[in-house]
Amino acid sequence: MTAEPGAEFALIGAHFAGLGAAREDVLLGVGDDCALLRVPPGQSLAVSLDTLVAGVHFFPDCDPHALGHKTLAVSLSDLAAMGAEPAWATLALTLPASDPAWLAAFAAGLGELARAHGVRLVGGDTTRGPLTITLQLQGLVPPEAALRRDGACAGDRIWVSGTLGDAALALAELQAGRDPDAALRARLERPTPRVALGRGLRGIASAAIDLSDGLVADLGHVLAASGVGAELRLGALPLGEAVAARADWSLALAGGDDYELCFCAPPGRDGEILALGQRLGCRLTPIGTIRGDDDTLRCLLPDGTVLNPTRRGYDHFAGA
Ligand code: ADP
Ligand code: MG
């Protein structure tokens, strides 16, 4: 609650009521004690929540339109990795002050991506404090079709979408006081969630995860959940020009914020996967194989030597 409840409701009404796509399954949206949503029979609710903290997940002075986009994009990426169709969002906003220009730009960035993916904002909470943004996204997937982390099998090929390490390079450039070019910067600030890809992988992929903490850490979650190991061919990793020019494997292996999908599938599904990538205009690259002989992750350098990746994903409580 802010000091003036009237101002709080005016802020919600001006920027967040009616945000996103119109949906017939929203029986009641922003404005009551709860939203009422209709879940179709045979579908399960897929629910994901992410928090972005100023100074931890984004620069406090970053472009609010891009921040609105990224707030939803990171959750869309989670639903994509589950093979779910996004539907409804709720938003908890903690703001140091009510800045109408900032709020309008944030809501516009969030709203454009929400409409593009058929998502309706159906509720939230607004409080005063250090800038923190939490979005919960809900979607639909038949439970038997969901792309879980625990289905990878020995012999499966490992695939990734897009290119890896771009966001990590853009962040490194910004932290070094340099200005990454617009395309590289967009990979950090306006990630493209692979929603249609995740949906298309239903019935094809044996396991999937989205890459938010780096390939080694996130693929590691799939291996642990599935009780298998893997071999990655680093020479096969899809790299953009700027990342390739750095010759630094850690960008692609340990860099966060890619929001690409990493998934596994038996080699017999190669043709369908390549056709799906072509239909969606999304680069899909096989980068390795699931092994059943032990549960470690081996990385083969292009010259055939083995690299043992040590860098883990970002851990908020490391050393705490
Ligand atoms: P309550 O006191 O019942 O929790 P609130 O005063 O927090 O209600 O919110 C009033 C209405 O506005 C609710 O429907 C809530 O879901 C919605 N709401 C509050 N903040 C936001 C926000 N940031 N985005 C979208 N809806 C919001
Ligand atoms: Mg409330």
Side-chain angles (χ1 to χ4, degrees), residues 91-248:
L91 174 70
L93 263 185
T94 302
L95 304 167
S98 168
D99 172 347
W102 190 96
L103 281 165
F106 175 83
L110 181 62
E112 282 163 30
L113 191 63
R115 285 191 297 279
H117 288 277
V119 170
R120 180 68 159 199
L121 184 67
V122 296
D125 199 22
T126 307
T127 52
R128 180 172 289 192
L131 180 58
T132 305
I133 303 161
T134 297
L135 186 131
Q136 186 182 59
L137 184 62
Q138 291 142 6
L140 299 167
V141 62
E144 66 283 359
L147 307 177
R148 302 163 49 130
R149 297 180 178 182
D150 60 5
C153 292
D156 282 355
R157 235 188 265 298
I158 302 165
W159 296 77
V160 291
S161 64
T163 55
L164 303 180
D166 306 310
L169 179 55
L171 178 62
E173 293 285 284
L174 288 170
Q175 284 171 334
R178 289 187 294 265
D179 216 4
D181 74 42
L184 197 64
R185 192 180 186 121
R187 293 280 292 158
L188 174 67
E189 295 184 345
R190 296 177 188 272
T192 305
R194 304 296 186 183
V195 176
L197 175 61
R199 176 73 180 75
L201 288 171
R202 285 187 192 173
I204 297 176
S206 54
I209 192 166
D210 72 316
L211 299 178
S212 55
D213 294 333
L215 178 63
V216 167
D218 290 324
L219 177 59
H221 296 314
V222 171
L223 302 183
S226 300
V228 293
E231 184 167 280
L232 289 184
R233 287 173 288 108
L234 299 195
L237 294 184
L239 305 179
E241 241 173 72
V243 170
R246 289 303 172 107
D248 174 0

Side-chain angles (χ1 to χ4, degrees), residues 9 28-36 90 122-125:
F9 296 130
L28 197 54
V30 169
D32 212 311
D33 296 313
C34 291
L36 295 176
T90 49
V122 296
D125 199 22

